[in-house]
Amino acid sequence: MDPVRLPASDATWVPGAEGSGFGRANLPYGAVARPGQPAEPAVRVGTHALRLQALEDAGVLSRAELPAGALAGPVLNPLLALGPDAWARLRGVLQDLLAPGAHGRAAVQTALVPLAEVELRLPVAVGDFVDFYASLEHATALGRRFRPEGDPLLPNWRHLPVGYHGRAGSVAVSGTPVRRPHGQLGLGRFGPTEELDLELELGAVTGGGGEIFGFVVVNDWSARDIQRWEYQPLGPFLGKSFATSISGWVVPLDALAGARVPPREQDPEPLPYLRDADPWALDAELEVEVNGTVRSRANARTLYWTFPQMLAHATVNGAHARPGDLFASGTISAPGPGSLVELGDGFLRDGDAVVLRGACGAVSLGEVAGTVTA
Amino acid sequence: MDPVRLPASDATWVPGAEGSGFGRANLPYGAVARPGQPAEPAVRVGTHALRLQALEDAGVLSRAELPAGALAGPVLNPLLALGPDAWARLRGVLQDLLAPGAHGRAAVQTALVPLAEVELRLPVAVGDFVDFYASLEHATALGRRFRPEGDPLLPNWRHLPVGYHGRAGSVAVSGTPVRRPHGQLGLGRFGPTEELDLELELGAVTGGGGEIFGFVVVNDWSARDIQRWEYQPLGPFLGKSFATSISGWVVPLDALAGARVPPREQDPEPLPYLRDADPWALDAELEVEVNGTVRSRANARTLYWTFPQMLAHATVNGAHARPGDLFASGTISAPGPGSLVELGDGFLRDGDAVVLRGACGAVSLGEVAGTVTA
């Protein structure tokens, strides 16, 4: 295993940020709302949110050459629509402003708000939400459970990244409570799900050309009984569509250069449109915590299909990605399982507090939290 | 079969509209763009588009008491968000303005534009697109083809309206050309689909509370070879996500009161959340035309599951419908089949011009047209 390289410089004059996972090497984007104010784009620095429109208004972002309105909020979509060159310019300016000894500190200080004084909001208006099934270990485990009579891995699985569309309107930001869904649990049975599960995933947020802007941690809550009864032949629907939670801070791909590692071997070799001259996986350590106890640990580098492959597949038929589309990996289940059904000792109870979190070395991917309510 | 009642009064002073299917009894909503202008909401009257913001600006819609911006465009979503009372008020005012002998005719005349002078645009920004599988005849025919070894109808089919999420970002307005998609056609085979099909559907557009605002005709273009190889276990993905076309004029539910008929018998009786004190189906005659020849005729009243049942099911788990969500029936295949795979004499070729159209008696549902390109 390649060691995760530490970011070139995480140091910043913002107190407490360096080495916290949210130092100058990270600078993830989100949306926050001050009391009584609408949501606005921000960057997280340590335990502070840096309000981007306030910086723009103060004139210190002019070098980034963003069009008017790009940071006006309430979501990141206008920024996502600008594409990688604009993202890099803005990131460069922000890194300069936050560097030790930087000029223009007064304007930045005015735009910094303690996280405790803002509400975290959904960072993007999700256009379409695609969820894949890219973990070999997860697909094998679920196939065994859902189709005990057959081969757990279906014939197509090693030839294409199997995926489906989820419900974009049900994507919620970390901290949103999750109500136990009602539904058909089997033939003639209706009520609250008895098999409420979590799914540990990583999700890529895209720009308008389908480029990856950054990553969030995803909890694709699942009602296994509803899913098992409904899913044939058109796939998961109500067993998933009640809630999908994402972490509030989108970590830019540019912050993760040091965490790119060679992907897992693929056999058979995929078709040309799924080959990449410079393939990469993300060495992202992830963990599942329920009621304060870590239940499992997984790593995104174990995914069989890479994010570039997932995106290439999703658009090979001519479908366009839009700014703010969310492409999630599906449950990541290696080395440890990414769902309770795979752990095999029970499902979520009302009141359970679930936290999924991740880190690429010294760069935190943050966390996605949610508590189950009746 | 109940006779379709004719609308109380289709008469209007707008020349040529009465009896055209788009008279005063219909008044469907869409979005149009004049040359060099942004898209704006409009109502179709005969062969004219009536620009709603122009009416609002002229002060003749004040009785509808709409909030500012409701008709500002470029899509109908702000109007959809207002809910059924506002929709009824606006429709009432429009019907008064268009009645024979109506006052305020000068303002209306100024807001009328011939359809030939505007471009039809997507009427709604689709939040989520859900597609069902509600036709017994279609589910049986496709089950037989996709699973020749088993029971064509899976055990869940008569107990819940099977459905899945499609790609909202690929929904396009009538007239948009459809590029033949590339993809994996089977094991190790990649190229343009050899089995490009159409699907004749009806779609409900909702308000924010999940109420049905109106209906569009839907062509859920499908690549059968891609779909067959990819669809297990998570359902259709790239075989559908390249394009879904909808008619440009959303016919309000209020215009279709005369077309409500008792739905088809259901056996077994569905669970309580799927029962309705006053169930209804839509007596909507639909047809499939390819290159000017009508290939098949179907009627939406043959659907096994009703639209209220589809909506009740889609939201029973707590998922919220948003203004502009699209809930489509799935292919309607009775009395005639609603797809070419069911007709059995070949798929679409490059250059084929497909038109799906519908009518509820004297109220036209309009048409959705699309030509296949290489």
Side-chain angles (χ1 to χ4, degrees):
Chain A
M1 215 167 117
D2 294 351
V4 175
R5 278 162 285 162
L6 286 169
S9 177
D10 203 39
T12 166
W13 57 263
V14 178
E18 182 179 356
S20 70
F22 296 100
R24 196 160 62 97
N26 192 344
L27 303 184
Y29 291 85
V32 299
R34 289 170 296 159
Q37 299 292 316
E40 56 182 324
V43 154
R44 179 169 175 180
V45 191
T47 56
H48 286 77
L50 181 58
R51 297 166 46 229
L52 294 174
Q53 186 60 49
L55 290 185
E56 180 76 317
D57 292 345
V60 296
L61 297 185
S62 56
R63 271 201 302 125
E65 295 174 16
L66 305 179
L71 303 171
V75 285
L76 298 171
N77 296 56
L79 175 63
L80 299 180
L82 299 180
D85 290 349
W87 307 338
R89 288 198 306 272
L90 177 58
R91 181 171 169 80
V93 173
L94 292 171
Q95 288 191 313
D96 288 351
L97 288 169
L98 294 165
H103 294 286
R105 200 182 281 203
V108 177
Q109 241 149 358
T110 310
L112 279 173
V113 198
L115 288 178
E117 295 176 15
V118 295
E119 260 184 33
L120 200 58
R121 296 289 174 83
L122 199 59
V124 292
V126 178
D128 274 293
F129 163 38
V130 172
D131 202 13
F132 286 93
Y133 197 50
S135 163
L136 179 65
E137 291 73 14
H138 176 69
T140 304
L142 254 69
R144 201 165 277 145
R145 187 175 177 91
F146 275 58
R147 291 175 302 279
E149 72 293 346
D151 190 341
L153 224 51
L154 292 168
N156 56 13
W157 198 90
R158 285 177 182 273
H159 299 275
L160 52 85
V162 169
Y164 73 105
H165 285 91
R167 186 162 186 81
S170 296
V171 176
V173 73
S174 175
T176 307
V178 172
R179 283 178 60 181
R180 181 179 295 275
H182 285 62
Q184 294 196 29
L185 313 179
L187 180 58
R189 294 178 58 223
F190 182 87
T193 175
E194 295 163 4
E195 301 184 17
L196 183 61
D197 204 349
L198 55 87
E199 290 199 336
L200 172 66
E201 310 193 4
L202 207 59
V205 175
T206 63
E211 318 87 351
I212 295 177
F213 170 76
F215 287 93
V216 288
V217 184
V218 178
N219 187 347
D220 187 35
W221 306 88
S222 299
R224 300 294 177 200
D225 37 14
I226 296 174
Q227 186 184 348
R228 194 167 44 236
W229 173 233
E230 76 178 356
Y231 89 104
Q232 283 191 321
L234 301 187
F237 184 33
L238 297 181
K240 303 274 195 176
S241 67
F242 59 96
T244 302
S245 304
I246 64 172
S247 53
W249 298 101
V250 187
V251 176
L253 182 59
D254 284 346
L256 302 172
R260 293 198 193 192
V261 292
R264 188 167 172 158
E265 192 89 13
Q266 295 182 322
D267 180 23
E269 185 183 35
L271 287 170
Y273 79 97
L274 293 171
R275 290 178 210 155
D276 201 326
D278 186 21
W280 55 273
L282 218 47
D283 187 2
E285 291 282 354
L286 302 161
E287 66 182 31
V288 176
E289 184 187 285
V290 182
N291 300 328
T293 303
V294 173
R295 300 289 305 276
S296 183
R297 287 195 174 86
N299 191 309
R301 68 183 295 164
T302 66
L303 288 169
Y304 187 86
W305 296 101
T306 70
F307 278 97
Q309 286 177 320
M310 297 180 221
L311 277 156
H313 185 64
T315 53
V316 71
N317 68 349
H320 296 286
R322 291 180 293 176
D325 277 359
L326 175 63
F327 293 87
S329 59
T331 310
I332 305 173
S333 291
S339 68
L340 299 183
V341 69
E342 292 165 82
L343 277 167
D345 53 357
F347 293 100
L348 293 169
R349 296 155 303 174
D350 294 345
D352 279 353
V354 176
V355 180
L356 311 182
R357 61 173 70 85
C360 290
V363 174
S364 178
L365 295 170
E367 64 175 40
V368 52
T371 296
V372 178
T373 65
Chain B
M1 216 168 119
D2 294 349
V4 175
R5 276 164 286 162
L6 286 170
S9 177
D10 203 39
T12 165
W13 57 262
V14 178
E18 182 179 355
S20 71
F22 296 100
R24 196 160 61 95
N26 191 345
L27 303 184
Y29 292 85
V32 298
R34 289 168 296 159
Q37 299 292 316
E40 56 181 325
V43 155
R44 179 169 176 181
V45 191
T47 56
H48 286 76
L50 181 57
R51 297 166 47 228
L52 294 175
Q53 186 61 49
L55 290 185
E56 180 77 314
D57 292 345
V60 297
L61 296 184
S62 55
R63 272 200 302 126
E65 295 174 16
L66 304 180
L71 303 171
V75 285
L76 298 172
N77 296 55
L79 175 62
L80 298 179
L82 299 179
D85 289 350
W87 306 338
R89 287 198 305 272
L90 178 58
R91 181 170 171 80
V93 172
L94 292 171
Q95 287 191 313
D96 288 351
L97 288 169
L98 294 165
H103 294 286
R105 200 182 280 203
V108 177
Q109 240 149 0
T110 311
L112 280 172
V113 197
L115 289 178
E117 295 176 15
V118 294
E119 259 185 32
L120 200 57
R121 295 288 174 83
L122 199 59
V124 292
V126 178
D128 274 294
F129 164 37
V130 172
D131 202 13
F132 286 92
Y133 197 51
S135 163
L136 177 65
E137 290 73 15
H138 177 69
T140 303
L142 253 70
R144 199 165 277 144
R145 187 176 178 93
F146 275 59
R147 292 176 302 279
E149 72 293 346
D151 190 341
L153 223 51
L154 292 168
N156 56 13
W157 198 89
R158 285 176 180 272
H159 299 274
L160 52 84
V162 169
Y164 72 105
H165 285 91
R167 186 163 185 79
S170 296
V171 176
V173 73
S174 175
T176 307
V178 172
R179 282 179 60 182
R180 179 179 297 275
H182 285 63
Q184 293 197 28
L185 313 180
L187 180 58
R189 294 178 58 224
F190 183 87
T193 175
E194 294 163 4
E195 301 184 18
L196 183 60
D197 203 350
L198 55 88
E199 290 199 336
L200 172 66
E201 309 193 6
L202 206 59
V205 175
T206 63
E211 318 87 351
I212 296 177
F213 170 76
F215 288 93
V216 288
V217 184
V218 178
N219 187 347
D220 187 36
W221 306 89
S222 299
R224 301 295 177 199
D225 36 16
I226 296 175
Q227 185 183 349
R228 194 168 43 237
W229 173 233
E230 76 178 354
Y231 91 104
Q232 284 191 321
L234 300 187
F237 184 35
L238 297 182
K240 302 274 194 176
S241 67
F242 58 97
T244 303
S245 304
I246 64 173
S247 54
W249 298 101
V250 187
V251 177
L253 182 59
D254 284 346
L256 301 173
R260 292 198 193 191
V261 292
R264 187 166 173 160
E265 193 88 13
Q266 294 182 324
D267 181 22
E269 185 183 33
L271 286 170
Y273 79 96
L274 293 171
R275 290 177 210 156
D276 202 325
D278 186 22
W280 54 273
L282 218 47
D283 187 3
E285 292 281 352
L286 302 161
E287 65 181 33
V288 175
E289 184 187 285
V290 182
N291 299 329
T293 303
V294 173
R295 300 288 305 276
S296 183
R297 288 196 173 85
N299 191 309
R301 68 182 296 163
T302 66
L303 288 169
Y304 186 87
W305 295 102
T306 70
F307 278 98
Q309 286 178 320
M310 296 180 220
L311 277 156
H313 185 62
T315 54
V316 71
N317 68 348
H320 295 287
R322 290 180 293 177
D325 278 358
L326 176 63
F327 294 87
S329 60
T331 310
I332 304 174
S333 292
S339 69
L340 298 183
V341 68
E342 293 165 81
L343 276 166
D345 53 355
F347 292 100
L348 293 169
R349 296 157 302 176
D350 293 345
D352 279 354
V354 176
V355 180
L356 312 182
R357 60 172 71 86
C360 291
V363 174
S364 178
L365 295 170
E367 64 175 41
V368 51
T371 295
V372 178
T373 64

